[in-house]
Amino acid sequence: YALVSAPAVSSDRRPLGQPSKYLRGVGAGTCAMLFTLLATTVSSSAFAATAPAVTAAHPRMILDTSTLSALRQNAAANTPEWQMLKSVCDSYIGGTVNYPTGNAYPNLPNIGSGYQGESYLPALMSEALCYQTLKTSNATAAATYGAKAVDILMKMATPYSTASGNQGWNPNSDDGYAMRNYGVGFGLGYDWLYDLLTPAQRTQVYTTANAWVTSFETKTFEYNHPQSNYFAGYFHAKAAIALGTYGDNPSAPTQWNDWYTNQFGQRVQPFYAQHLTGGGWPEGFGSYAPLGILNMTLPAREVMTATGTDIVHASAAPYSYPVDNADYMIH
């Protein structure tokens, strides 16, 4: 009861190892029982021991052949959807992309990080999407959008350092909150811009991405439980990084196997099947739910397009959560 009746909070900044304020005063026996139940629940799934092979070429996440074809048809027909996307992409052209430690909220056409990277991510994905849409029909325009996207990605991937002059973002800031923006951007940006990145740029992106994954898994209490807006950002980011950088990143095979067999197979799938059947988000739909649900949903699509594996309709342990949330996502 103490666990499920606690009000939603934006951040519980307790030190590692210190009980949440919502558990203080609850008997030690009750706490032990609750956490034993959670641990038993989370580890009780019969799941594949090895992750499926990553077989698709870049772009391998979301933008499969049929999706790209539809996007390019929309651009050729100059549909309202394409006009809207193009207007967003055009709004950044000619400006400067600031480093994470620079002005976070510059005026357009300049780009800053926004709150912990939340302005970088939509700008990156919009420019990369415009690039992918036009690369076969208008190489000149595509190159402009692609160059801007690469600029954003490389500013995001600036390594963090405690030394003087650091321009990178601390991956452990606010217990890893920014993982939902930077981490997701590293993986999807690497994938969608793969043919534009130099070998040195690819190395910088996946090296920085690896550091972010390690930081979240070793330095934040939010890693310990598979349900929160923080964990959702990590869940999506690790899938995107592992799948996006697979084939270049020496750490990607291990990351991908851990995501599929452990993070998803042993933690997320059984917990969500038992406790979140029917959809919803315990932290409140009007606050953290839209992005939380999105970050728990998009990896299913990314796994499908990168490996051909359908985790939503799997016969042994289906992940129904994305489908259960269809009404929420449409709303």
Side-chain angles (χ1 to χ4, degrees):
Y1 178 80
L3 285 175
V4 300
S5 63
V9 291
S10 61
S11 178
D12 182 356
R13 303 175 189 277
R14 67 186 186 278
L16 282 171
Q18 179 180 333
S20 166
K21 60 187 176 182
Y22 299 116
L23 290 179
R24 294 171 194 161
V26 177
T30 302
C31 285
M33 178 189 70
L34 289 168
F35 285 112
T36 299
L37 173 62
L38 290 177
T40 302
T41 299
V42 170
S43 63
S44 62
S45 173
F47 207 76
T50 305
V54 179
T55 55
H58 298 285
R60 60 174 60 127
M61 288 186 287
I62 302 174
L63 301 182
D64 57 4
T65 300
S66 61
T67 301
L68 279 173
S69 177
L71 287 167
R72 289 166 180 169
Q73 288 174 17
N74 283 348
N78 199 31
T79 65
E81 292 83 2
W82 165 248
Q83 292 178 38
M84 178 66 74
L85 174 61
K86 184 176 183 300
S87 70
V88 173
C89 293
D90 290 341
S91 71
Y92 299 118
I93 301 303
T96 298
V97 181
N98 296 338
Y99 282 96
T101 55
N103 180 4
Y105 301 98
N107 295 325
L108 290 174
N110 304 308
I111 301 171
S113 65
Y115 182 71
Q116 301 203 45
E118 70 176 4
S119 294
Y120 278 150
L121 185 59
L124 168 66
M125 302 321 300
S126 295
E127 295 295 328
L129 194 58
C130 280
Y131 164 70
Q132 285 290 343
T133 301
L134 293 182
K135 64 182 291 187
T136 59
S137 62
N138 188 336
T140 299
T144 299
Y145 296 133
K148 180 59 66 175
V150 169
D151 191 8
I152 299 168
L153 177 61
M154 298 316 299
K155 294 294 173 52
M156 294 174 70
T158 302
Y160 170 72
S161 170
T162 57
S164 176
N166 166 64
Q167 294 180 302
W169 193 256
N170 181 357
N172 195 45
S173 177
D174 192 11
D175 290 300
Y177 179 98
M179 188 68 158
R180 70 197 68 192
N181 298 315
Y182 284 85
V184 171
F186 294 150
L188 287 173
Y190 189 97
D191 182 38
W192 291 10
L193 301 170
Y194 185 80
D195 57 341
L196 295 179
L197 297 172
T198 67
Q201 288 174 326
R202 293 173 188 169
T203 299
Q204 180 176 326
V205 173
Y206 69 65
T207 300
T208 300
N210 292 345
W212 277 68
V213 170
T214 299
S215 177
F216 196 95
E217 293 177 346
T218 60
K219 296 182 178 180
T220 172
F221 71 91
E222 293 285 357
Y223 172 72
N224 297 328
H225 183 58
Q227 213 297 314
S228 73
N229 66 92
Y230 282 73
F231 183 88
Y234 158 80
F235 183 71
H236 187 188
K238 186 166 186 175
I241 290 167
L243 292 171
T245 67
Y246 200 96
D248 301 317
N249 180 2
S251 298
T254 299
Q255 291 171 348
W256 168 229
N257 192 65
D258 177 72
W259 186 92
Y260 187 81
T261 63
N262 180 29
Q263 306 305 333
F264 172 66
Q266 296 299 319
R267 304 185 74 196
V268 167
Q269 191 281 331
F271 184 87
Y272 282 62
Q274 180 162 347
H275 299 291
L276 285 165
T277 298
W281 193 260
E283 292 172 307
F285 184 80
S287 52
Y288 290 113
L291 184 55
I293 291 174
L294 185 65
N295 280 331
M296 297 305 299
T297 296
L298 276 179
R301 173 66 176 170
E302 293 159 2
V303 170
M304 171 69 87
T305 56
T307 73
T309 301
D310 184 354
I311 63 175
V312 172
H313 302 99
S315 57
Y319 181 49
S320 67
Y321 187 71
V323 178
D324 293 340
N325 276 297
D327 288 343
Y328 292 94
M329 295 300 292
I330 291 170
H331 175 77

